[in-house]
Coordinates of all heavy atoms in Angstrom, one line a residue:
T35 N 17.9 17.0 26.2 CA 17.5 16.9 24.8 C 16.3 17.8 24.4 O 16.3 18.5 23.4 CB 17.3 15.5 24.4 OG1 18.4 14.7 24.8 CG2 17.2 15.3 22.9
V36 N 15.3 17.9 25.4 CA 14.2 18.8 25.2 C 14.7 20.2 25.2 O 14.3 21.0 24.4 CB 13.1 18.5 26.3 CG1 12.0 19.6 26.2 CG2 12.5 17.2 26.2
N37 N 15.5 20.5 26.1 CA 16.0 21.9 26.2 C 16.8 22.3 25.0 O 16.6 23.4 24.4 CB 17.0 22.0 27.5 CG 16.2 22.0 28.8 OD1 14.9 22.1 28.8 ND2 16.9 21.7 29.9
A38 N 17.6 21.4 24.4 CA 18.3 21.7 23.2 C 17.3 21.9 22.1 O 17.5 22.8 21.2 CB 19.3 20.5 22.9
L39 N 16.3 21.1 22.0 CA 15.3 21.3 20.9 C 14.6 22.6 21.1 O 14.4 23.4 20.1 CB 14.3 20.1 20.9 CG 13.1 20.2 19.9 CD1 13.6 20.0 18.5 CD2 12.0 19.1 20.2
E40 N 14.1 22.9 22.3 CA 13.4 24.2 22.5 C 14.3 25.4 22.1 O 13.9 26.3 21.4 CB 12.9 24.2 23.9 CG 11.8 23.2 24.2 CD 11.3 23.2 25.7 OE1 12.0 23.7 26.6 OE2 10.3 22.6 26.0
D41 N 15.5 25.4 22.5 CA 16.5 26.4 22.3 C 16.7 26.6 20.7 O 16.7 27.7 20.1 CB 17.8 26.2 22.9 CG 17.7 26.4 24.5 OD1 16.6 26.9 24.9 OD2 18.7 26.1 25.1
R42 N 16.8 25.4 20.1 CA 17.2 25.4 18.7 C 16.0 25.9 17.9 O 16.2 26.8 17.0 CB 17.5 24.0 18.2 CG 17.8 23.9 16.8 CD 18.5 22.6 16.4 NE 18.6 22.5 15.0 CZ 19.0 21.4 14.4 NH1 19.3 20.4 15.2 NH2 19.1 21.3 13.1
V43 N 14.8 25.6 18.2 CA 13.6 25.9 17.4 C 13.3 27.4 17.7 O 13.0 28.1 16.7 CB 12.4 25.0 17.7 CG1 11.1 25.6 17.2 CG2 12.6 23.6 17.1
A44 N 13.5 27.9 18.9 CA 13.2 29.3 19.2 C 14.2 30.1 18.3 O 13.8 31.1 17.7 CB 13.5 29.6 20.7
E45 N 15.5 29.7 18.2 CA 16.5 30.4 17.5 C 16.1 30.4 16.0 O 16.3 31.4 15.3 CB 17.9 29.9 17.8 CG 19.0 30.7 17.3 CD 20.4 30.2 17.7 OE1 20.5 29.6 18.7 OE2 21.2 30.4 16.8
L46 N 15.7 29.2 15.6 CA 15.4 29.1 14.1 C 14.4 30.2 13.7 O 14.5 30.7 12.5 CB 14.8 27.7 13.8 CG 15.8 26.5 13.6 CD1 15.0 25.3 13.4 CD2 16.7 26.8 12.4
F47 N 13.4 30.5 14.5 CA 12.5 31.4 14.2 C 12.7 32.9 14.8 O 11.9 33.7 14.7 CB 11.0 30.9 14.6 CG 10.6 29.8 13.9 CD1 10.9 28.5 14.2 CD2 10.0 29.9 12.6 CE1 10.6 27.4 13.4 CE2 9.6 28.8 11.8 CZ 9.9 27.6 12.2
G48 N 13.8 33.1 15.4 CA 14.2 34.4 15.9 C 13.4 34.8 17.1 O 13.2 36.0 17.4
H49 N 12.9 33.8 18.0 CA 12.1 34.1 19.1 C 12.9 33.8 20.3 O 13.9 33.1 20.3 CB 10.8 33.4 19.1 CG 9.7 34.0 18.3 ND1 8.8 34.8 18.8 CD2 9.5 34.0 16.9 CE1 8.0 35.2 17.8 NE2 8.4 34.8 16.7
E50 N 12.4 34.2 21.5 CA 13.2 34.0 22.7 C 13.1 32.6 23.3 O 14.1 32.2 23.9 CB 12.6 35.0 23.8 CG 13.0 36.5 23.7 CD 12.3 37.4 24.7 OE1 11.4 36.9 25.5 OE2 12.7 38.6 24.6
A51 N 12.0 32.0 23.1 CA 11.8 30.7 23.8 C 10.8 29.8 23.1 O 10.1 30.3 22.2 CB 11.3 30.9 25.2
A52 N 10.8 28.5 23.4 CA 9.9 27.6 22.8 C 9.5 26.5 23.8 O 10.2 26.4 24.8 CB 10.4 26.9 21.5
L53 N 8.4 25.8 23.6 CA 7.9 24.8 24.5 C 7.5 23.6 23.8 O 6.7 23.7 22.8 CB 6.8 25.4 25.3 CG 6.1 24.5 26.4 CD1 7.1 24.4 27.6 CD2 4.8 25.1 26.9
F54 N 8.1 22.5 24.1 CA 7.8 21.1 23.5 C 6.4 20.7 24.0 O 6.1 20.7 25.1 CB 8.8 20.1 23.8 CG 8.8 18.8 23.1 CD1 8.8 18.9 21.7 CD2 8.8 17.6 23.7 CE1 8.8 17.7 21.0 CE2 8.9 16.4 23.0 CZ 8.9 16.5 21.7
T55 N 5.5 20.3 23.0 CA 4.2 19.8 23.4 C 3.9 18.5 22.7 O 4.5 18.2 21.6 CB 3.1 20.8 22.9 OG1 3.1 21.0 21.5 CG2 3.2 22.1 23.6
A61 N -0.1 22.9 21.2 CA 0.7 24.1 21.0 C -0.1 25.3 20.5 O 0.1 26.4 20.9 CB 1.8 23.8 19.9
G170 N 1.9 27.2 12.2 CA 2.9 26.9 11.3 C 3.2 25.4 11.4 O 4.4 25.0 11.3
A171 N 2.2 24.6 11.5 CA 2.3 23.1 11.5 C 3.2 22.7 10.3 O 4.1 21.8 10.5 CB 1.0 22.5 11.4
I173 N 5.1 25.0 8.4 CA 5.8 26.1 8.0 C 7.1 25.7 7.3 O 7.6 26.4 6.4 CB 6.2 27.1 9.2 CG1 6.6 28.5 8.7 CG2 7.2 26.4 10.1 CD1 5.5 29.3 8.1
W174 N 7.6 24.5 7.6 CA 8.8 24.0 7.0 C 8.6 23.8 5.4 O 9.5 24.1 4.7 CB 9.2 22.6 7.6 CG 8.9 22.6 9.1 CD1 7.8 21.9 9.7 CD2 9.8 23.0 10.1 NE1 7.9 22.0 11.1 CE2 9.1 22.8 11.3 CE3 11.0 23.7 10.2 CZ2 9.6 23.1 12.6 CZ3 11.5 24.1 11.3 CH2 10.8 23.8 12.5
P183 N 13.3 32.6 4.5 CA 14.0 32.1 5.8 C 12.9 32.0 6.9 O 12.0 32.8 7.0 CB 14.9 33.3 6.2 CG 15.1 34.1 4.8 CD 13.8 33.9 4.1
L184 N 13.1 31.0 7.8 CA 12.3 30.7 8.9 C 12.2 32.0 9.8 O 11.1 32.2 10.4 CB 12.7 29.5 9.7 CG 12.7 28.2 8.9 CD1 13.3 27.1 9.8 CD2 11.2 27.8 8.6
T185 N 13.3 32.7 9.9 CA 13.2 33.9 10.8 C 12.3 35.0 10.2 O 11.7 35.7 11.0 CB 14.6 34.6 10.9 OG1 15.2 34.7 9.6 CG2 15.6 33.8 11.8
E186 N 12.1 35.0 8.9 CA 11.1 36.0 8.3 C 9.7 35.6 8.7 O 8.9 36.4 9.0 CB 11.3 36.1 6.7 CG 12.4 37.0 6.4 CD 12.4 37.3 4.9 OE1 11.3 37.5 4.4 OE2 13.5 37.4 4.3
Y187 N 9.4 34.3 8.7 CA 8.1 33.8 9.1 C 8.0 34.1 10.7 O 6.9 34.6 11.2 CB 7.9 32.3 8.9 CG 7.6 32.0 7.5 CD1 8.6 31.1 6.8 CD2 6.6 32.5 6.8 CE1 8.3 30.9 5.4 CE2 6.4 32.3 5.4 CZ 7.2 31.4 4.7 OH 7.0 31.1 3.4
G188 N 9.0 33.9 11.4 CA 9.0 34.1 12.9 C 8.7 35.6 13.2 O 8.0 35.8 14.1
A189 N 9.2 36.5 12.4 CA 9.1 37.9 12.6 C 7.7 38.3 12.4 O 7.2 39.4 12.9 CB 10.0 38.7 11.7
V193 N 3.3 34.7 18.4 CA 3.5 33.3 18.9 C 3.2 32.4 17.7 O 2.4 32.7 16.8 CB 2.5 33.0 20.0 CG1 2.9 33.7 21.4 CG2 1.1 33.4 19.8
M194 N 3.8 31.2 17.8 CA 3.6 30.3 16.7 C 3.4 28.9 17.3 O 3.8 28.7 18.3 CB 4.8 30.2 15.8 CG 5.2 31.5 15.1 SD 6.7 31.2 14.1 CE 6.1 30.2 12.7
A195 N 2.9 28.0 16.4 CA 3.0 26.6 16.8 C 3.6 25.9 15.5 O 3.3 26.3 14.4 CB 1.5 26.0 16.9
V196 N 4.5 25.0 15.7 CA 5.1 24.3 14.6 C 5.1 22.8 15.0 O 5.2 22.4 16.1 CB 6.6 24.7 14.2 CG1 6.6 26.2 13.9 CG2 7.5 24.4 15.4
C197 N 5.0 21.9 13.9 CA 4.9 20.5 14.1 C 6.1 19.7 13.6 O 6.6 20.0 12.5 CB 3.7 19.9 13.4 SG 2.1 20.4 14.2
L198 N 6.6 18.8 14.4 CA 7.6 17.9 13.9 C 7.1 16.6 13.4 O 7.8 15.8 12.8 CB 8.6 17.6 15.1 CG 9.1 18.9 15.8 CD1 9.7 18.4 17.1 CD2 10.2 19.5 15.0
S199 N 5.8 16.3 13.6 CA 5.3 15.0 13.4 C 4.5 14.9 12.0 O 3.9 14.0 11.7 CB 4.3 14.7 14.4 OG 3.3 15.7 14.5
L202 N 8.1 16.3 8.6 CA 9.4 16.1 9.1 C 9.6 14.7 9.7 O 10.7 14.3 9.9 CB 9.8 17.1 10.2 CG 9.8 18.6 9.8 CD1 10.6 19.4 10.9 CD2 10.5 18.8 8.5
G207 N 5.3 15.2 18.5 CA 6.0 16.5 18.9 C 5.7 17.7 18.1 O 5.7 17.7 16.8
S208 N 5.5 18.7 18.8 CA 5.2 20.1 18.3 C 5.9 21.0 19.3 O 6.3 20.7 20.3 CB 3.8 20.3 18.1 OG 3.1 19.5 17.1
L209 N 5.9 22.3 18.8 CA 6.4 23.3 19.8 C 5.6 24.6 19.7 O 5.1 24.9 18.5 CB 7.8 23.7 19.5 CG 8.8 22.6 19.8 CD1 9.3 21.9 18.4 CD2 10.0 23.1 20.5
M210 N 5.3 25.2 20.8 CA 4.9 26.6 20.7 C 6.1 27.5 20.8 O 7.1 27.2 21.6 CB 4.0 26.9 22.0 CG 3.7 28.4 22.2 SD 2.8 28.7 23.7 CE 3.1 30.5 23.8
I211 N 6.1 28.6 20.1 CA 7.3 29.5 20.0 C 6.8 30.9 20.4 O 5.7 31.3 20.0 CB 7.9 29.5 18.6 CG1 8.2 28.1 18.2 CG2 9.0 30.5 18.5 CD1 8.4 28.0 16.7
G212 N 7.5 31.7 21.2 CA 7.1 33.0 21.5 C 8.2 33.7 22.4 O 9.3 33.3 22.5
G213 N 7.6 34.7 23.1 CA 8.5 35.5 24.1 C 8.7 34.6 25.4 O 7.9 33.7 25.7
I217 N 6.0 31.9 27.1 CA 6.4 30.5 27.2 C 6.4 30.1 28.6 O 6.0 28.9 28.9 CB 7.7 30.2 26.5 CG1 7.6 30.5 25.0 CG2 8.3 28.9 26.8 CD1 6.8 29.7 24.2
L237 N 11.7 11.6 22.7 CA 10.9 12.1 21.5 C 11.5 13.4 21.0 O 11.5 13.6 19.8 CB 9.5 12.4 22.0 CG 8.7 11.2 22.4 CD1 7.3 11.6 22.9 CD2 8.6 10.2 21.3
A238 N 12.1 14.2 21.8 CA 12.8 15.5 21.3 C 13.9 15.1 20.4 O 14.2 15.8 19.4 CB 13.2 16.3 22.5
A239 N 14.6 13.9 20.7 CA 15.7 13.5 19.9 C 15.3 13.2 18.5 O 16.0 13.5 17.5 CB 16.4 12.3 20.4
A240 N 14.0 12.8 18.3 CA 13.5 12.5 17.0 C 13.3 13.9 16.3 O 13.6 13.9 15.0 CB 12.2 11.8 17.0
G241 N 12.9 14.8 17.0 CA 12.7 16.1 16.4 C 14.0 16.8 16.0 O 14.1 17.4 14.9
L242 N 15.0 16.7 16.8 CA 16.4 17.2 16.5 C 16.9 16.5 15.2 O 17.4 17.2 14.3 CB 17.3 17.1 17.6 CG 17.1 18.1 18.8 CD1 17.8 17.6 20.0 CD2 17.5 19.5 18.4
H243 N 16.7 15.2 15.1 CA 17.1 14.4 14.0 C 16.4 14.9 12.7 O 17.0 15.0 11.7 CB 16.9 12.9 14.3 CG 17.3 12.1 13.1 ND1 18.6 11.6 12.9 CD2 16.6 11.6 12.0 CE1 18.7 10.9 11.8 NE2 17.5 10.9 11.3
A244 N 15.1 15.1 12.9 CA 14.3 15.6 11.8 C 14.8 16.9 11.2 O 14.9 17.2 10.0 CB 12.9 15.6 12.1
L245 N 15.2 17.8 12.2 CA 15.6 19.2 11.7 C 16.9 19.0 11.0 O 17.2 19.8 10.2 CB 15.8 20.1 12.9 CG 14.4 20.5 13.6 CD1 14.8 21.3 14.9 CD2 13.6 21.3 12.6
D246 N 17.7 18.1 11.4 CA 19.0 17.9 10.7 C 18.9 17.3 9.4 O 19.6 17.5 8.4 CB 20.0 16.9 11.6 CG 20.5 17.7 12.8 OD1 20.6 18.9 12.7 OD2 20.8 16.9 13.8
V249 N 14.4 18.4 6.6 CA 13.8 19.7 6.1 C 14.0 19.9 4.6 O 13.1 20.0 3.9 CB 14.3 20.9 6.9 CG1 13.8 22.2 6.4 CG2 14.0 20.7 8.4

Side-chain angles (χ1 to χ4, degrees):
T35 309
V36 172
N37 292 342
L39 176 67
E40 290 176 345
D41 289 348
R42 178 162 170 193
V43 169
E45 193 181 324
L46 280 176
F47 290 91
H49 279 261
E50 286 175 351
L53 184 71
F54 192 52
T55 60
I173 196 68
W174 323 100
L184 294 174
T185 48
E186 280 192 38
Y187 288 120
V193 288
M194 302 180 69
V196 300
C197 291
L198 304 168
S199 57
L202 295 196
S208 294
L209 295 104
M210 171 185 162
I211 304 166
I217 294 297
L237 296 178
L242 286 165
H243 180 86
L245 291 174
D246 286 335
V249 177

